[in-house]
């Protein structure tokens, strides 16, 4: 049943790769296809729900103010809530800005605030360069201090996530919210 196993939503293209990985193949019990054709921007997007035996510890990278009631942080919040309700533990690394969120199973690790940066707006910004470097340092520190089953990154956090997942030898899941 769903209550006694973990779940993860990934893109259809990633499904075959995940099922080929010995670490995940042993734990994956079954999977379901879920089409979001009515709500997604791209008609070719199909999600795959993988059911794993056991719970996962997830290192999530969110290079934006978390939580703010807008776009990407709102989407991240609902993904986090769904995963923690299934019993997964999430360590979220994010910017030093945003509202505090309290969910069982969620630990928020805010990077240091670079000097002279008080806030960051939506979209591309030069302020995001030092903030993303600070997120990268905090992410590497978390990766070296805990054991994680998967790295889940959002937006430009994918650049950090690829390296951290390779360092840890675990799968990397990427969410692109803007296109």
């Amino acid at each position: 049943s769903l209550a006694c196993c973990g779940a993860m939503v990934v893109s259809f293209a990633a499904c075959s790769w995940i099922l080929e990985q010995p670490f995940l193949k042993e734990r994956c019990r079954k999977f379901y296809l879920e089409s979001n054709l009515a709500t997604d921007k791209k008609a070719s997007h199909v999600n795959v729900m993988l059911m794993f035996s056991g719970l996962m510890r997830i290192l999530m990278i969110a290079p934006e103010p978390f939580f703010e009631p807008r776009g990407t942080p709102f989407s991240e919040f609902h993904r986090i809530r769904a995963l923690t309700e299934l019993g997964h533990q999430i360590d979220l690394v994010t910017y030093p800005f945003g509202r505090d969120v309290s969910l069982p199973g969620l630990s928020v690790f805010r990077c240091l605030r670079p000097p002279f940066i008080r806030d960051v707006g939506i979209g591309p910004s030069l302020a995001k360069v030092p903030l993303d470097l600070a997120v990268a340092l905090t992410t590497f520190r978390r990766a070296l201090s805990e054991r994680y089953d998967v790295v889940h990154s959002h937006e430009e956090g994918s650049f950090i996530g690829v390296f951290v997942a390779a360092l840890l030898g675990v799968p990397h899941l990427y969410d692109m919210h803007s296109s």
Side-chain angles (χ1 to χ4, degrees):
S1 78
L2 195 57
C4 67
C5 63
M8 173 189 279
V9 178
V10 298
S11 73
F12 183 67
C15 181
S16 62
W17 178 86
I18 289 172
L19 293 175
E20 291 171 2
Q21 304 308 306
F23 169 74
L24 293 175
K25 189 175 183 178
E26 296 169 0
R27 295 174 64 190
C28 184
R29 297 183 339 157
K30 54 188 168 185
F31 64 93
Y32 303 93
L33 295 180
E34 170 194 72
S35 173
N36 291 332
L37 301 179
T39 58
D40 284 351
K41 296 176 188 175
K42 297 182 178 116
S44 63
H45 185 83
V46 178
N47 287 332
V48 178
M49 178 75 72
L50 297 173
M51 305 304 291
F52 292 95
S53 57
L55 300 176
M56 293 186 289
R57 183 159 185 132
I58 302 166
L59 177 58
M60 188 176 288
I61 306 163
E64 46 271 329
F66 185 86
F67 173 75
E68 292 295 325
R70 64 183 198 206
T72 300
F74 196 66
S75 178
E76 292 162 348
F77 172 80
H78 288 289
R79 282 171 169 76
I80 291 167
R81 188 180 68 188
L83 289 167
T84 57
E85 284 177 0
L86 290 168
H88 300 297
Q89 297 291 314
I90 297 178
D91 286 355
L92 174 70
V93 178
T94 189
Y95 283 177
F97 319 113
R99 300 176 188 167
D100 290 331
V101 172
S102 179
L103 289 171
L106 171 66
S107 297
V108 178
F109 297 90
R110 297 189 183 277
C111 69
L112 293 175
R113 185 179 59 81
F116 309 110
I117 298 177
R118 306 244 183 271
D119 195 10
V120 65
I122 298 172
S125 165
L126 287 176
K128 289 186 177 180
V129 173
L131 284 166
D132 287 349
L133 290 173
V135 164
L137 291 173
T138 303
T139 301
F140 279 103
R141 190 171 59 237
R142 295 298 323 143
L144 296 174
S145 65
E146 295 290 337
R147 183 190 165 278
Y148 293 99
D149 298 306
V150 67
V151 174
H152 183 168
S153 64
H154 299 268
E155 301 288 11
E156 70 269 16
S158 66
F159 298 109
I160 304 163
V162 166
F163 290 111
V164 171
L167 173 75
L168 299 176
V170 299
H172 175 235
L173 174 65
Y174 170 58
D175 268 323
M176 181 180 81
H177 300 273
S178 305
S179 56

